[in-house]
Amino acid sequence: MGQQVLQYIKQSNLFTGLFFVVAQDMIEHKYSHGCKRNKEHLAGDKVMLPVTDSGEPDYRYMEQYAKNMMLRKYQQYLAFLNRSDND
């Protein structure tokens, strides 16, 4: 395995995984017309990720960003439920 893959495995958790999946989905148009994602196709893809000043993937940023997006969505759900309860 490549060094970047090993580093990702060490740093991965639910939140960095969610961030990475969304980053992969941004190249989804490539896989639209009958061309499915598989290991061979993904091996040649380049996924844009945030990096630190030293050029390494910024796993802390990815984790925090995913947590913030989940918190934002939870707040939207709660606001919806509160509106529904008041009607």
Side-chain angles (χ1 to χ4, degrees), residues 10-65:
K10 290 178 187 175
Q11 299 290 329
S12 67
N13 60 36
L14 171 67
F15 301 104
T16 56
L18 288 171
F19 188 99
F20 191 74
V21 167
V22 170
Q24 281 185 315
D25 285 346
M26 295 183 86
I27 59 171
E28 182 177 313
H29 67 281
K30 180 178 175 181
Y31 298 104
S32 52
H33 304 285
C35 183
K36 301 268 183 193
R37 287 188 208 183
N38 61 37
K39 188 168 41 171
E40 290 78 28
H41 290 135
L42 292 174
D45 289 343
K46 293 187 187 237
V47 178
M48 301 291 288
L49 297 174
V51 295
T52 62
D53 290 338
S54 63
E56 297 295 316
D58 194 342
Y59 296 104
R60 254 188 266 159
Y61 175 85
M62 289 186 254
E63 181 176 352
Q64 192 59 52
Y65 186 86

Side-chain angles (χ1 to χ4, degrees), residues 49-82:
L49 297 174
V51 295
T52 62
D53 290 338
S54 63
E56 297 295 316
D58 194 342
Y59 296 104
R60 254 188 266 159
Y61 175 85
M62 289 186 254
E63 181 176 352
Q64 192 59 52
Y65 186 86
K67 286 178 178 179
N68 290 345
M69 290 296 103
M70 288 183 78
L71 180 59
R72 184 173 157 196
K73 189 52 71 177
Y74 289 147
Q75 289 169 339
Q76 290 173 341
Y77 291 150
L78 289 174
F80 174 77
L81 291 173
N82 287 335

